Amino acid sequence: MGMTEILFGFLTVLAIFSSLMMVTSKNPVYSVLWLIVTFFAVSGHYILLNAQFLAIVNIIVYAGAIMVLFLFVIMLMNLNKETEPQKNRWIKMAGAVAGGCLMLVLVAALKDAGGKDDQAQVVAGDIGLIKNLGKELFTTYVVPFEISSILFLSAMVGAVVIGKKE
Amino acid sequence: MPINYYILLSVALFCIGIVGVLTRRNAIIIFMCIELMLNAVNLLLVAFSKMHHLKAAATNAAATAGSDGQLFVFFIMVVAAAEVSVGLAIIVMMYRNIHSVDINFLNRLKH
Amino acid sequence: MNNVLNIAYWIPLLPLIGFLINGLGRKHLSKTATGIIGSGVILGAFVLSIWVFLEVKGGNTHDAHYFDFISVGDLKIPFSFKIDQLSSLFLLIITGVGFLIHVYSTAYMHEEKSEHFSRYFAYLNLFVFSMLLLVMGGNFVIMFIGWEGVGLCSYLLIGFWFKNQEYNKAANKAFIMNRIGDLAFLIAIFWIIAKVGSVNYTDVFSAAGLAKLKAADVVIITILLFVGATGKSAQIPLYTWLPDAMAGPTPVSALIHAATMVTAGIYMIARCNVLYSLDAAEITRNIIAYTGLATALLAASIALKQNDIKKVLAYSTVSQLGFMFLALGCGAYTAAVFHVMTHAFFKALLFLGSGSVIHAMGGDQDIRNMGGLSKKLKITYITFLIGCIAIAGIPPFSGFFSKDAILLSAYLKSPVLYGIALFAALLTAFYMFRLLFLTFTGKFRGTHDQEHHLHESPAAMTIPLIILAVLSVIGGFVGIPAVFAEGGDKLGAFLSPVIAAAHGEAHHVTHSTEYMLMGLSTALVLIMIVFAWFRFRNYQRSEATGLGKVLENKWYVDELYDKIFVQPLHRFGGFLKNIIENKVVDGMVNAVGKGVNYGSRQLRLLQSGQVGNYVLLMVLGIIVLLAIQFFIRK
């Protein structure tokens, strides 16, 4: 087992464990923190796949901007363990069983999807570098890129309008 | 790294997100679970893009095949960021109106 | 061929017109007008019938084809009439006797309200129309139309006084019993269509048509037709409706239940004589013969102890019909038709005579209350006496010749049959003269009021009686057996073109045997009459005991039917109603309603408005879809 496998296993365990903790934490603040850990683990996977651009964007946008926003909101609302609403036990059970079933179905359906030849290139490969992606983004995907700026604008306007008092 | 590993990891993360959505009542946590599901998909997209690239590179060293997948991930992040800004605004407004973020109070769909 | 046969369709059409006028105008027509129209159309039909009869006698027969009644694929059922020797003879009987009864009815029913009077004549006309259709029809389907028509009219006329619930029940009984037979007839028609592909007599009875029938088919068809005939002609086991049918007005009993409708079964079998004469139908012939014989004997025994004047005559009718079926079963179709004719005369006479008696008695029908009526009702008495002699079979009255022909045919088949038939004939003589003596001789046993009320009936009633009496006397001369006069059997000669050569009729016995048989029956009948005279000259009312009681109660056949068929059916119906209908069917219907109600109540809870629940359901839906996608469609 080489270094990549060890890294892969570590990141995978970390991602799953932290995401589980995120779901099960009573305190929303802990949930946010565990989610940030998960994002870091996913970013680690990106790095392992040599998708450096996405890894950094993930950390900056998700773990940085978005999660801080979440944290702000939670703290603004003064949510904590005591005020955290709890579903009744049966609904929780049903939710867990449903999720388990979905996983079972998906795993069963996809377990033979990839054969021995279907390997994801790790460590090597340079399409995930900023240079390549930037070239693609500003040539082939320039129109969607521009449109996404309009999306941001409207989201901004929307957030302001909704967040306004009265 | 076999693609199956990534598939299984993504499925696991996705299903954890689903379970979170189903079991929690806090709107913000549910929102975060959705982000988690988006990430699971992103991870899988990147893995597929690398798999695709590996196969293309076997015949042509200078191939850029597979960059599409990573750009999709990029756009998904864009959309997610926009979505979060609007979504959190909605949650804040909801909190202002009913002083709670419990989705069980959001039962107006019945009427 | 420009003669009366081309306008033969007017024969049934006239009564139909009469029915329409009387039926539709019943609120506006006076009784006189109704009587004239009602009787007039029948008279018109009678005149045409005579004309037709003479044409047919001259050797012309006619198959009239008017239009296609039913046309389905290859099957074409034309609306056609067949006018030959057999049908023209029946035409004469129906319209002739029918006309007399119409005339008689104008007086008998005179006390009815004019509306009901018109209704009565409308029904009578409709009946005659149906009967004519039955007889003239050129195929089984047209015959079936008439067959059903007479059943309907019988129902309407038995229940004519519909305010009396008992009469309605009798009407229902007649109708339902007839339906049982009709069903068999209908199946027979279907069978014929399936096998031969045509219902026309000419096709079915042709050599080609018969060739299409296997032996089993012949047996089934003939038996089904015979079952149909037992319904209409009141044979065992479907005879019990006829005595109950006496609930109708007396002329109706005379017309329908003596002279015409009940002979429909005889007519049908005589019409199908080609089928019945086939070797394959041997078994059916035996069934018919024994059924007829049993009916004749059973009905005669019941008639011995009946006290209702019309009931006696009704059972006598059943018994005589039994004789006719015996003749049919023995292959003596001519004898059966001959007896139909003479029976029509004397039974109509007897019924009309009894009607006259009932009229005089103010509606009382119990012969125990009568006696000594001969002094007051001279014409009725004499005509009734002639009728009794005729039915008893004393030469040279008409009944002798026809009954003798039947007995002879029975003798040819088997001497045992002859013996039993003779015994039934003796019973006939005995009960008829019991009736005569109880009614007309001795002292009057009724109330004082009735004694004062006694009077001879008006001319409109006595004249038909006289005419029928004359016919009863001379009617037999058309069929004088060959032993008396060579070629005397004019009827047989007349019918020979349509009746298949009977199985060696008559000429297998020597003349001396024939004389001996006739002498024997006549002598025994005379002895019976004398016996009845001594027994009933001075009648004392007494309770019947033993066998008498059984006979008085008609062998308890009605009770037996009630136990075997009616009550189980009632119980079955009750079971269906209480258990199946109320519990199972209603339960099922209610369960569907309740289930939907309950289910929707439960389903409503799904619509909680909780976003979380919706998400959960959505996930479940995704799981199911994926499962189907990946596991089942593979």
Side-chain angles (χ1 to χ4, degrees), chain B residues 18 21-22 103-110, chain C residues 607-612 614-617 619:
Chain B
I18 289 270
V21 168
L22 293 178
I103 54 151
N104 279 19
F105 291 109
L106 293 178
N107 56 3
R108 285 298 185 83
L109 287 181
K110 187 153 70 174
Chain C
Q607 191 79 5
S608 60
Q610 303 283 359
V611 181
Y614 297 155
V615 176
L616 177 61
L617 289 175
V619 171

Side-chain angles (χ1 to χ4, degrees), chain C residues 175-355:
Chain C
F175 197 68
I176 292 166
M177 284 241 166
N178 266 304
R179 297 297 314 165
I180 299 172
D182 295 348
L183 179 64
F185 187 16
L186 202 56
I187 296 172
I189 293 175
F190 291 151
W191 205 289
I192 290 170
I193 291 174
K195 295 294 173 188
V196 184
S198 168
V199 286
N200 293 335
Y201 299 140
T202 35
D203 297 336
V204 177
F205 300 143
S206 66
L210 293 176
K212 288 179 191 162
L213 294 171
K214 294 194 199 70
D217 295 330
V218 171
V219 172
I220 290 169
I221 289 170
T222 50
I223 285 181
L224 283 173
L225 287 176
F226 171 62
V227 172
T230 58
K232 202 111 296 186
S233 293
Q235 294 298 292
I236 289 175
L238 301 176
Y239 72 93
T240 57
W241 67 269
L242 184 57
D244 285 15
M246 296 304 126
T250 308
V252 172
S253 306
L255 179 63
I256 297 186
H257 308 121
T260 51
M261 171 178 148
V262 291
T263 61
I266 316 283
Y267 171 78
M268 176 175 73
I269 292 181
R271 174 56 82 191
C272 304
N273 64 76
V274 180
L275 273 181
Y276 282 88
S277 299
L278 292 175
D279 290 334
E282 171 79 36
I283 181 165
T284 318
R285 283 204 299 277
N286 286 334
I287 291 174
I288 294 175
Y290 290 116
T291 308
L293 190 62
T295 310
L297 197 61
L298 182 81
S301 67
I302 294 172
L304 291 177
K305 277 288 176 185
Q306 293 303 305
N307 293 320
D308 183 322
I309 185 167
K310 284 175 74 181
K311 283 272 166 77
V312 176
L313 292 174
Y315 279 107
S316 148
T317 304
V318 177
S319 175
Q320 298 303 310
L321 289 166
F323 276 112
M324 295 173 207
F325 275 98
L326 174 62
L328 293 174
C330 296
Y333 305 105
T334 313
V337 173
F338 188 21
H339 200 55
V340 166
M341 190 181 86
T342 57
H343 179 256
F345 295 150
F346 56 67
K347 191 49 66 70
L349 167 63
L350 288 169
F351 263 115
L352 294 183
S354 77

